[in-house]
Amino acid sequence: MKSLDLCRGKLLAALLLTGTLASAQTAAPASGVAQDLARARATMVSDIRYEVSLSIPANKDAPISGHMVLRFLLSDRTRPLVLDFEPDRQQAIQLKANGVPAVPVSVNGHLVLPAASLRRGENELEIEFTAGDGPLNRSDDQLFTVFVPAQARRAIPCFDQPDLKARWSITLEHPAPWLSVANGAELERVVVGDRARVRFGATKPISTYLVSFVAGALRMETGMRDGRMLRMFHRETDAAKLIRNREEIFDLHARSLAHMAEYTNLSYPFEKYDFVLLPTFPFPGMEHVGATAYNSEELMLEESATQRERLWRARLIAHEVAHAWFGNLVTMRWFDDVWTKEVFASFMASKIADPLFPDVRHDLAFFVDNHLRAYPTDRSAGTHPIRQPLGNLADAADLYSNLIYAKAPVVMRQLEVMLGEQEFRDGLRTYLRRHSYANATWDDLISALAPRARFNLREWSRVWIDEPGRPSIRTELRLTDGRLDSLRLIETAPRGRKLRWPQELRITLLCSRGQLDLRADMQSTRVDLTRDAGNCLPDAVLAGGQGWAYADFQFDERSRRFLAENLSALQDPLTRAVAWSGLWEAMLAGRMTPQAVLPTLLAALRSEGDEQVASYLLGDLGTLWWRFLTPQQRVQAAGELETLLRQRLADAADAPRKSVWFKALQSLAVSSETVSWLRLVWKRDAAVAGLPLSEADETRLARELARRDVVGSSQILDEQIERIANPDRKARMTYLREVLSPSPAQREAWFRQLRDPAKRKPEEWVIDGLSELHHPVRAETSAQLVQPALEMLLDVRRHGGTFFDSQWVDSVLHGHGSPATAAVVQRYLAAQSPDFPLKLRERVLQAGDLLQRAARVRSKGPL
C-alpha cells in the first residue's frame, strides 16, 4: 500500500502537461465540488453503481475501514476522472482500476485518476479506504450519517453532486447487539461472535446527499399500514411515552404516503419506508431515501403537548414524506435549486396535515408558520432571493434559510391561486413524470406550468424568486366630517429599487358596523379602493387581511391608533394576528416605541382565547421583554405581567393550554416571589393544578432556575440529572451542567474549550450550550464572549457540519440587545476582508438584525 503523497507531484505534473485546457482543469480541481467540475463530470459519467462495505468498531475513536466497488459508464477517456474524497485524517488508499492497481493523485479533497487507467464504456474501481469521521456522527453506542448537502465526500470516495444519481448497495459490520438501517431493504444479517454483518439491497437511483446508514443501540417498532410495513428505529426508554406516540406516528406517515400518491398520481417511488428517531440528530428531519431521520424530540411528544406542537409534528412528517417525490424522485440538478424541493415539501405538508386537525384555523397557522417566519430574514440587511447562485457545493449550506422554508410556500400559494388548483396540480404531475429518477431545474418546472398560465409566469418568477426583499404597502386613509374622502394602497420597493411584486391582496376594512373584505390585484403601485368601500367608514385598514399577501404593511395613523387601542376586541383570531403583526413591524421600524406597544400586547393576552394567537403573542412578548426593555423597565412591569400569566395559567381549561402559559411564566419571570414559587414547583413542594409535569418539564424548569442563579442552583442541576432516566437525555444535561453553572468563570471555561474543533461535538449540544451561555437572563455577563465567538466563526465554518456556522451565530446573538454588543457585531463585520464569505456576512446580518434594532431603541437613536 503506497502513500498518496509519494507520487503526487510527478503524476500531477504529467497530467497537466499532457492534457488539454479542460483536462488541466480536471486534473487540478478546486476544493469542494466546483460547478465547472460537476458539469464536466456529468457529461462523462453515467449508470453509476456503488457497493460499499464498512466495518464499524465498538470504539468510536477507532478508524472505520471501508471497501468499495464502483462501477460506471464513461463516455470520454481523454481526460482524467475526478472522485471526491476529503476525509478528516490523512490516509493511504489502495485502488484498482479495471483490475489493475492504480495510484490516484490527491488534490484539494479529490482523487484524480489518470485517463490511462480508464476505458470508454464500463469501468470498475475497487477501493480500500478508511472512512472520514466528520459526517458519521459517532458516539459510544451509535453512528448516523448526515451527507447533505455535499458531505458524503468527507466520509467515502464518490461523485458528490446531485445530478450523478446512482444505485447504492451497503453492507455494515458492527457490534452484534446493535441494530442498523440503510437506504435499501435489509437482505441478510449474519452474527459471528460479537460482530454482526448486515447486507442491504440496492437502491433505485439516488443522489449522494440522500445516502444514509445508521447503526447503534437502537430499538425497533413496526406498524402495518395500507399493506406496507413501516419500521421505526429509536432510542426511547420511557415506555409510556413510546406507547403514547407510536401509533399516531405510524398513522401520520401512512396518511402522508397515501395523500402524496393520490395527489401526484404516482405510487411511492422507492422500495421501503423506514424512519429513525435520534436524540442528537441536528435537524428536525431529513428525507434520506428509505431511512428518514428525525430528531426524536420532534416526534415523541409530552402528554401535555399543545395542539400547535401536534400540528407541527404532523407537518414535519408530511414534509419529509413529500420529499420522496419532490427531491428524491425528482432532484434538483444543482443546489441553487434546493429551494424547489423544500418549498413543495412544505406546501404539500400543509395540504396533508391540515385536514387531520379540523379544530385548527389553518389559514392562521399558515400565516404564523410562513409569513411570520420569513419576515425577520426579509426585513434584515442580510436578505437574499429565494433562488441564489452557487459556484461550489462546499457552500451549499449557505442557501438554506427561512426564505426557502417559509417565504417560498407563500409564493407557491399565490401561484396556485393564479393558475387554478387543478392546473397547478396537473403541471406538477407532468413535471414529476418527465423527470422521474432524474434531475430537473426550476426552469423545467416553469416549462411544465407555463402552458397553463394566463399571465407571464417567467416575469412573475423573476420578481418573486430571483429578487430579494419584500415590497412595502402603505395605506392612505382620509375621512372628513363622517365621509370617506379616499382609501388607497401605495406600494414601494425597498432601498429605492424599481421593482413591482404582482400579487393578490385580500384587504380587511374594520368598520363601525362590522368587517368588510375586499380583493385587489397589485397591477400598479397605486390601488384606489375608495368606491369599493361602499358605506364603510373604516376605523382601520388591513392591507394584508386574511393573512394573504406578503409585504411590509404600514398603517396610516388612524388605523394604527385604532388597532393599538382595540386589538383585543377584534373578533377574528386571524385578523388579530395580522393586526398585531403590523403593530410589531411598526415597533421594529421605529414608528412605535416598545413602551407604546407593551400595553396593547398585555391587554390582548388577558383575553386571548385562541391557542395559536396566544403562542404567537407570547413569542413576541419574550423578544420585547428581554431585548427591547431595559432591566429597570422589566422590574417595573413584572408585577402586572406575572399576575396576568399566573391568572391565565389558573384559568386554562386543560393541560395543553396550561402548558402554554406555564412555559411563558417560567421564561419571563423576574420577581423573587414568582421565581421562589417556581423553585417550589421544581422541588415538588408545590404543584400546578391540572398540569402534571413530565421529566422534560422539570428539566426545562431546572434550567430556568439555574439561569436565574437561585439559591442552591448547583444542587438543583445535580438532582435534575439524577432524576433523568433516559441515558441520552441524562448525557445531554450532564454536558450542559458546566454552562448552566452559577459561576461565570465556569461558564467561560466551557466556552473557551470550544476553540478546539474536537470539543464541538455533538454539534446540537454545543448549540444548546451557546444558547444557554447567551440567554437573555445572562446576556450582561456573556456579552464579553460575543467578540471571541465571532472570531471563531470562520473556524467553525471550516470544521463544522452542515448549518453549524449559521446555528452558531444565531445562538451567540439571540439573547442580546445592548448598544455595546451591537457595536461589537458592527466592528466585526467592518474588520473583515473583501474575501470574507458573502453568505456568512448575510447570516450575521440576519442573526444580528433584532440586536441592532433593540440597541437603537435602547440608545434612542434613529432607525
Side-chain angles (χ1 to χ4, degrees):
M1 187 161 55
K2 297 181 179 179
S3 169
L4 295 181
D5 292 330
L6 293 179
C7 57
R8 175 186 298 174
K10 182 183 294 186
L11 185 52
L12 177 58
L15 289 169
L16 290 171
L17 288 171
T18 60
T20 63
L21 177 61
S23 299
Q25 292 172 343
T26 305
S31 298
V33 183
Q35 191 171 26
D36 57 354
L37 165 66
R39 285 176 174 172
R41 194 161 55 184
T43 66
M44 299 169 56
V45 181
S46 61
D47 193 18
I48 305 167
R49 289 148 289 156
Y50 295 90
E51 295 178 9
V52 181
S53 297
L54 296 170
S55 180
I56 305 169
N59 180 358
K60 67 180 178 63
D61 297 318
I64 296 176
S65 59
H67 176 269
M68 173 186 291
V69 176
L70 170 57
R71 299 182 179 90
F72 55 91
L73 296 180
L74 187 66
S75 63
D76 181 358
R77 66 173 303 272
T78 65
R79 291 184 280 173
L81 181 67
V82 178
L83 279 172
D84 307 317
F85 190 41
E86 191 174 3
D88 46 11
R89 66 182 84 194
Q90 291 293 322
Q91 60 173 278
I93 289 179
Q94 285 186 329
L95 187 148
K96 291 182 180 179
N98 299 310
V100 178
V103 181
V105 180
S106 177
V107 183
N108 293 329
H110 304 280
L111 302 177
V112 182
L113 277 73
S117 297
L118 305 167
R119 58 193 179 202
R120 185 180 177 86
E122 178 78 26
N123 283 262
E124 178 182 288
L125 305 181
E126 185 175 359
I127 309 172
E128 301 280 351
F129 63 97
T130 301
D133 274 342
L136 296 186
N137 300 281
R138 299 173 69 185
S139 60
D140 289 336
D141 61 353
Q142 70 173 9
L143 172 154
F144 63 87
T145 57
V146 178
F147 286 170
V148 63
Q151 300 292 310
R153 63 193 170 88
R154 295 177 59 204
I156 56 179
C158 59
F159 302 119
D160 203 2
Q161 60 190 79
D163 59 341
L164 284 181
K165 289 189 169 184
R167 299 178 185 273
W168 287 78
S169 301
I170 294 174
T171 299
L172 301 177
E173 185 191 67
H174 53 68
W178 289 11
L179 296 181
S180 53
V181 61
N183 301 105
E186 183 177 316
L187 301 181
E188 179 184 57
R189 177 185 172 93
V190 178
V191 176
V192 178
D194 62 353
R195 303 286 290 173
R197 184 177 183 275
V198 186
R199 184 167 60 89
F200 300 93
T203 67
K204 292 182 178 180
I206 62 175
S207 301
T208 45
Y209 79 90
L210 295 168
V211 173
S212 175
F213 45 90
V214 181
L218 302 169
R219 304 179 182 195
M220 184 180 70
E221 309 289 327
T222 60
M224 182 66 72
R225 298 292 190 278
D226 301 327
R228 185 194 311 277
M229 176 62 75
L230 302 176
R231 299 194 304 171
M232 176 175 71
F233 295 81
H234 67 93
R235 291 168 62 89
E236 183 56 62
T237 57
D238 185 335
K241 191 174 190 177
L242 176 62
I243 292 171
R244 186 172 62 246
N245 287 281
R246 179 179 56 202
E247 297 307 311
E248 187 168 359
I249 291 173
F250 280 127
D251 287 345
L252 289 169
H253 280 90
R255 288 167 180 163
S256 299
L257 287 163
H259 188 283
M260 284 302 303
E262 188 279 329
Y263 185 90
T264 64
N265 202 29
L266 291 171
S267 299
Y268 174 66
F270 298 99
E271 293 82 1
K272 51 101 175 180
Y273 202 98
D274 294 337
F275 50 97
V276 189
L277 281 58
L278 298 166
T280 55
F281 195 72
F283 322 137
M286 177 60 203
E287 67 272 17
H288 301 134
V289 170
T292 297
Y294 296 100
N295 184 289
S296 54
E297 290 186 6
E298 306 289 344
L299 269 58
M300 289 289 180
L301 301 183
E302 298 300 326
E303 189 173 3
S304 60
T306 65
Q307 191 176 52
R308 181 167 177 77
E309 289 169 336
R310 293 181 63 241
L311 175 60
W312 161 254
R313 175 176 68 178
R315 284 185 172 176
L316 173 61
I317 289 172
H319 178 105
E320 303 307 337
V321 169
H323 271 312
W325 286 261
F326 293 102
N328 300 1
L329 175 65
V330 179
T331 310
M332 64 275 162
R333 184 168 299 159
W334 190 244
F335 261 84
D336 57 352
D337 276 327
V338 65
W339 73 275
T340 58
K341 76 180 181 72
E342 297 302 336
V343 66
F344 284 111
S346 295
F347 187 73
M348 294 306 304
S350 293
K351 288 182 177 292
I352 294 167
D354 290 1
L356 302 177
F357 295 84
D359 296 334
V360 172
R361 278 288 300 272
H362 294 296
D363 51 358
L364 171 58
F366 189 93
F367 177 71
V368 171
D369 292 341
N370 293 289
H371 292 73
L372 301 183
R373 281 177 63 207
Y375 284 168
T377 300
D378 246 359
R379 80 167 76 95
S380 76
T383 191
H384 56 78
I386 291 175
R387 180 165 62 172
Q388 305 168 78
L390 178 68
N392 195 307
L393 287 180
D395 302 322
D398 291 333
L399 304 187
Y400 290 82
S401 77
N402 278 336
L403 295 188
I404 71 172
Y405 288 103
K407 181 180 179 179
V410 176
V411 174
M412 286 301 107
R413 183 171 70 164
Q414 288 264 3
L415 180 58
E416 183 185 44
V417 168
M418 294 165 70
L419 283 170
E421 188 173 352
Q422 182 172 336
E423 293 290 346
F424 185 73
R425 183 201 63 194
D426 291 346
L428 293 182
R429 287 180 172 182
T430 298
Y431 165 79
L432 291 172
R433 286 196 305 271
R434 283 178 182 173
H435 305 288
S436 290
Y437 301 107
N439 300 81
T441 66
W442 168 243
D443 289 337
D444 292 325
L445 179 56
I446 290 291
S447 297
L449 294 174
R452 297 169 167 83
R454 295 181 296 275
F455 58 95
N456 188 331
L457 184 54
R458 296 189 184 278
E459 177 60 20
W460 172 90
S461 172
R462 183 187 72 81
V463 174
W464 279 106
I465 306 303
D466 295 327
E467 292 287 347
R470 57 179 179 166
S472 295
I473 298 179
R474 175 171 54 89
T475 57
E476 185 181 90
L477 176 62
R478 294 178 183 171
L479 286 80
T480 304
D481 298 329
R483 184 182 72 254
L484 177 62
D485 288 340
S486 67
L487 171 57
R488 297 176 181 172
L489 306 179
I490 302 170
E491 177 184 309
T492 56
R495 299 177 179 88
R497 292 152 59 207
K498 294 182 178 180
L499 278 178
R500 282 192 50 258
W501 281 264
Q503 61 179 318
E504 179 186 280
L505 300 188
R506 299 185 177 182
I507 303 101
T508 297
L509 306 184
L510 300 177
C511 317
S512 58
R513 297 181 180 178
Q515 179 174 308
L516 177 63
D517 293 324
L518 304 175
R519 294 196 181 194
D521 287 327
M522 292 299 297
Q523 298 299 328
S524 66
T525 57
R526 287 175 176 263
V527 174
D528 194 323
L529 298 172
T530 309
R531 292 185 178 180
D532 300 89
N535 295 324
C536 173
L537 297 177
D539 292 314
V541 180
L542 295 175
Q546 302 176 49
W548 189 260
Y550 186 90
D552 174 18
F553 296 104
Q554 299 178 10
F555 296 132
D556 58 89
E557 180 58 25
R558 177 181 173 89
S559 296
R560 184 198 62 75
R561 186 171 59 252
F562 177 85
L563 293 171
E565 295 172 357
N566 298 277
L567 179 67
S568 59
L570 302 180
Q571 295 299 306
D572 179 57
L574 177 56
T575 301
R576 292 197 297 276
V578 172
W580 170 251
S581 172
L583 295 173
W584 180 251
E585 293 288 328
M587 188 210 65
L588 294 179
R591 299 188 292 269
M592 297 180 71
T593 66
Q595 292 77 13
V597 299
L598 181 59
T600 299
L601 185 49
L602 295 181
L605 285 168
R606 284 191 186 93
S607 59
E608 184 54 61
D610 185 276
E611 181 187 302
Q612 291 189 85
V613 178
S615 295
Y616 163 39
L617 296 177
L618 287 168
D620 281 349
L621 174 61
T623 301
L624 177 67
W625 187 251
W626 291 117
R627 306 188 75 175
F628 284 83
L629 299 183
T630 65
Q632 182 180 5
Q633 290 168 334
R634 289 196 292 269
V635 170
Q636 292 171 348
E640 180 183 4
L641 172 61
E642 293 174 12
T643 298
L644 184 161
L645 295 176
R646 293 189 73 165
Q647 187 62 53
R648 292 307 310 263
L649 171 60
D651 293 342
D654 53 35
R657 289 178 175 86
K658 286 182 179 294
S659 178
V660 170
W661 297 103
F662 185 58
K663 288 175 182 176
L665 181 62
Q666 293 176 63
S667 66
L668 299 172
V670 295
S671 74
S672 58
E673 178 186 357
T674 298
V675 172
S676 296
W677 177 74
L678 290 172
R679 185 174 183 274
L680 291 174
V681 171
W682 178 84
K683 287 174 65 67
R684 302 173 181 170
D685 292 335
V688 182
L691 180 62
L693 297 187
S694 67
E695 176 191 284
D697 294 326
E698 292 187 337
T699 300
R700 185 182 303 109
L701 183 51
R703 290 172 66 162
E704 292 285 2
L705 293 170
R707 291 170 192 147
R708 288 159 174 80
D709 296 335
V710 300
V711 175
S713 60
S714 294
Q715 290 76 17
I716 288 174
L717 292 173
D718 292 338
E719 186 176 336
Q720 185 58 43
I721 290 170
E722 289 301 313
R723 287 183 184 182
I724 299 173
N726 180 277
D728 293 315
R729 291 191 284 271
K730 184 186 288 288
R732 182 180 189 137
M733 190 63 175
T734 302
Y735 172 83
L736 294 172
R737 175 65 176 80
E738 188 174 8
V739 75
L740 284 164
S741 167
S743 164
Q746 269 193 290
R747 300 198 296 267
E748 181 172 345
W750 174 87
F751 168 73
R752 296 293 180 186
Q753 50 117 22
L754 298 181
R755 288 177 292 191
D756 179 359
K759 298 294 186 181
R760 302 180 201 143
K761 297 284 185 179
E763 290 180 356
E764 190 196 19
W765 293 5
V766 173
I767 295 303
D768 197 359
L770 284 171
S771 297
E772 283 290 354
L773 183 68
H774 294 278
H775 189 278
V777 175
R778 287 179 163 169
E780 186 175 348
T781 57
S782 64
Q784 61 172 328
L785 301 178
V786 170
Q787 177 72 32
L790 292 174
E791 290 171 351
M792 292 165 62
L793 188 54
L794 284 173
D795 190 67
V796 167
R797 180 182 179 88
R798 186 177 304 113
H799 296 288
T802 307
F803 314 138
F804 190 40
D805 54 354
S806 61
Q807 292 171 335
W808 178 281
V809 71
D810 279 341
S811 59
V812 167
L813 299 183
H814 84 109
H816 295 280
S818 71
T821 305
V824 167
V825 177
Q826 292 169 349
R827 288 195 299 270
Y828 170 77
L829 288 176
Q832 301 310 309
S833 64
D835 61 352
F836 185 79
L838 173 62
K839 304 308 294 185
L840 192 56
R841 179 181 294 273
E842 289 179 356
R843 193 71 194 112
V844 175
L845 290 170
Q846 293 166 25
D849 183 70
L850 276 178
L851 165 61
Q852 300 298 332
R853 293 175 187 273
R856 290 166 188 165
V857 167
R858 289 197 192 183
S859 62
K860 298 182 180 180
L863 275 172

